[in-house]
Amino acid sequence: MTQSHWPLYEVFIRSKQGLAHRHVGSVHAADDQMALENARDAYTRRGEGSSIWVVKSENLVATQPEDREAFFDPSDDKIYRHPTFYTIPDGIKNM
Amino acid sequence: MTDEQHQAHFDATIAADTPIEAKDWMPDAYRQTLIRQIGQHAHSEVIGMLPEANWLTRAPSLRRKAILLAKIQDEAGHGLYLYSAAETLGCSRQDIYEKMLDGKMKYSSIFNYPTLNWADVGVIGWLVDGAAIVNQVALCRTSYAPYARAMVKICKEESFHQRQGYEAAMAMANGSAAQRAMLQDSINRFWWPALMMFGPTDTDSPNSAQSMAWKIKRHSNDELRQKFVDNTVPQLEALGMTAPDPDLKWDEASGHYRFGTINWDEFYQVIKGYGLCNHERVGDKRRAWESGRWVREAAMAHAEKNAAKAA
């Protein structure tokens, strides 16, 4: 059966000088192509971007705020992952 | 976590001015009041296209016409950003849109006033979008992050609207006697409705106390209204125009303009659905929704057919 609810898409745009795509919002559209066209019209009217990704919202999986501690904590005690952990004698240059 | 722990964490988050994100726990009443406020904000953008579009085919020059078209396109985009923000709270756009069509959700009182001459288009850009900006700049720091982000985006575009509106008003203020009279007539009709956009007085605003406590609202209705009047009177004077308010005067002691009393009876009539254009506005949107049904269904059927073919 055809439903009249158009699915929701999340929109990501990489700006002209941007290095990465950034989430800017969402649009409703019947299909992928319409989602791209709607995203272009709604989010790039003033030259905001040079590349658009759209993805159906139902395909996104997100971390849960209540799991935040358990999920991210393990990296806190691995301080040797940071360059500041290592001491280098004064006078060593370009490092 | 228990509900009490969730509540305590939420209160601490609000107190620390940390924004609330879509997946964070929030009190149900906070969620509901945001769906109401953001939803009605979105509806206002959509309904707000109608009074201005009324003059699209009759714009007096190609330049003004192109500007107006771009502005109405922005309003549609703003509606879309706001519906996106509302949907992060778990409501569906179609559902709240149908509530608006059924008169179960409101939209801004201002769009129930008719546009009777070309000057109205300039005055709406200048006064109405000007009032919207004062309101929305204050909302850029609202506690719900998706709403705040939508406001930042919208404010950038609204300032284009306000400037284009003022420029159109200026052209008329510097034009013939007939153009100046038309501009003054428009200001006379839109001045008070623009002041009403800030909502009821602080003593009479049922949602305000809770919204301020939750930092959804950062300033009271009366504070924002005062700021708008202070900003706008010098702009009015620069046009050589007057406000339809015999009590409007500068108050040296407070550093603010004092102004007359708003006709609150009129305000409540309008928001209850008995303003000049309420019937016409919702009627137009309902017609568009009903007569567009087959197009929406065709788009969906076509998408499903293509998806089936690809699978």
Side-chain angles (χ1 to χ4, degrees):
Chain A
M1 194 202 94
T2 295
Q3 47 168 10
S4 60
H5 263 74
W6 287 358
L8 187 66
Y9 286 81
E10 299 300 323
V11 181
F12 300 81
I13 290 178
R14 180 161 55 78
S15 65
K16 291 215 175 76
Q17 276 87 38
L19 293 173
H21 286 75
R22 205 166 64 88
H23 182 244
V24 293
S26 60
V27 294
H28 282 272
D31 60 27
D32 300 354
Q33 188 58 34
M34 192 195 286
L36 276 177
E37 286 166 12
N38 289 355
R40 175 201 55 197
D41 292 347
Y43 293 105
T44 67
R45 286 196 301 286
R46 292 180 174 81
E48 288 94 337
S50 58
S51 168
I52 304 177
W53 289 345
V54 290
V55 57
K56 273 198 184 133
S57 304
E58 64 187 31
N59 292 332
L60 282 177
V61 182
T63 53
Q64 296 300 317
E66 54 267 33
D67 298 342
R68 204 176 279 157
E69 279 176 25
F71 201 78
F72 296 105
D73 252 6
S75 58
D76 282 355
D77 55 4
K78 298 185 175 65
I79 48 173
Y80 47 84
R81 284 175 170 171
H82 300 274
T84 45
F85 178 75
Y86 302 94
T87 45
I88 301 289
D90 293 346
I92 302 290
K93 292 207 171 82
N94 297 320
M95 193 176 281
Chain B
M1 273 200 272
T2 65
D3 274 3
E4 288 76 30
Q5 285 171 315
H6 274 307
Q7 181 71 51
H9 184 257
F10 176 84
D11 293 342
T13 309
I14 294 285
D17 273 335
T18 306
I20 304 294
E21 292 287 350
K23 297 205 129 228
D24 294 338
W25 185 92
M26 60 188 88
D28 196 49
Y30 177 85
R31 184 184 300 277
Q32 293 312 321
T33 202
L34 276 168
I35 291 175
R36 179 185 56 79
Q37 183 173 339
I38 303 173
Q40 293 182 167
H41 197 158
H43 300 332
S44 302
E45 300 285 353
V46 171
I47 295 284
M49 291 193 273
L50 296 171
E52 294 179 286
N54 184 35
W55 281 88
L56 195 50
T57 57
R58 294 176 286 170
S61 75
L62 201 51
R63 179 172 184 268
R64 299 275 174 220
K65 189 177 200 157
I67 290 169
L68 184 57
L69 190 59
K71 185 187 168 187
I72 295 168
Q73 188 187 22
D74 281 351
E75 313 288 6
H78 297 173
L80 188 146
Y81 307 155
L82 286 160
Y83 283 122
S84 295
E87 286 193 294
T88 62
L89 293 157
C91 66
S92 99
R93 177 174 78 171
Q94 179 157 339
D95 183 49
I96 60 174
Y97 190 72
E98 290 187 81
K99 283 198 174 112
M100 187 272 287
L101 293 180
D102 292 338
K104 289 175 189 154
M105 282 182 84
K106 295 189 175 80
Y107 54 86
S108 179
S109 55
I110 191 77
F111 302 119
N112 292 310
Y113 290 85
T115 42
L116 303 178
N117 67 31
W118 168 255
D120 288 358
V121 172
V123 167
I124 286 177
W126 163 43
L127 288 184
V128 173
D129 291 68
I133 291 172
V134 168
N135 233 326
Q136 292 174 351
V137 165
L139 286 170
C140 289
R141 287 177 56 248
T142 189
S143 58
Y144 187 57
Y147 193 23
R149 285 192 286 267
M151 285 298 103
V152 171
K153 220 167 151 49
I154 289 173
C155 282
K156 280 188 207 151
E157 297 177 358
E158 292 283 9
S159 39
F160 144 68
H161 301 169
Q162 193 193 17
R163 289 172 68 104
Q164 66 85 14
Y166 194 68
E167 189 211 66
M170 223 160 46
M172 298 188 81
N174 295 328
S176 67
Q179 286 173 313
R180 278 197 298 280
M182 205 185 272
L183 178 61
Q184 184 63 62
D185 170 61
S186 174
I187 294 167
N188 292 348
R189 284 180 291 109
F190 277 97
W191 179 261
W192 291 107
L195 294 191
M196 292 178 196
M197 288 173 69
F198 295 95
T201 54
D202 295 349
T203 47
D204 231 359
S205 176
N207 301 311
S208 276
Q210 185 60 78
S211 290
M212 299 276 282
W214 278 330
K215 296 185 181 171
I216 295 173
K217 283 173 83 154
R218 294 298 193 139
H219 304 277
S220 78
N221 294 352
D222 287 333
E223 275 170 36
L224 293 172
R225 187 168 14 243
Q226 181 66 56
K227 188 176 164 65
F228 173 71
V229 171
D230 291 344
N231 288 351
T232 308
V233 173
Q235 297 164 0
L236 187 71
E237 286 168 351
L239 293 171
M241 296 286 139
T242 57
D245 180 359
D247 298 326
L248 180 71
K249 61 170 193 297
W250 176 250
D251 175 31
E252 192 70 56
S254 66
H256 290 295
Y257 284 95
R258 293 282 159 236
F259 53 97
T261 309
I262 288 172
N263 182 345
W264 293 112
D265 289 341
E266 176 183 323
F267 173 76
Y268 287 110
Q269 285 299 306
V270 174
I271 61 170
K272 280 179 195 149
Y274 306 112
L276 289 169
C277 298
N278 299 57
H279 201 68
E280 183 185 336
R281 299 290 184 243
V282 177
D284 283 349
K285 283 297 165 191
R286 177 162 289 288
R287 238 182 332 278
W289 183 249
E290 299 296 346
S291 58
R293 184 183 305 278
W294 72 270
V295 180
R296 295 193 300 276
E297 287 173 358
M300 205 59 225
H302 184 69
E304 282 166 4
K305 194 182 77 183
N306 282 345
K309 234 189 270 173

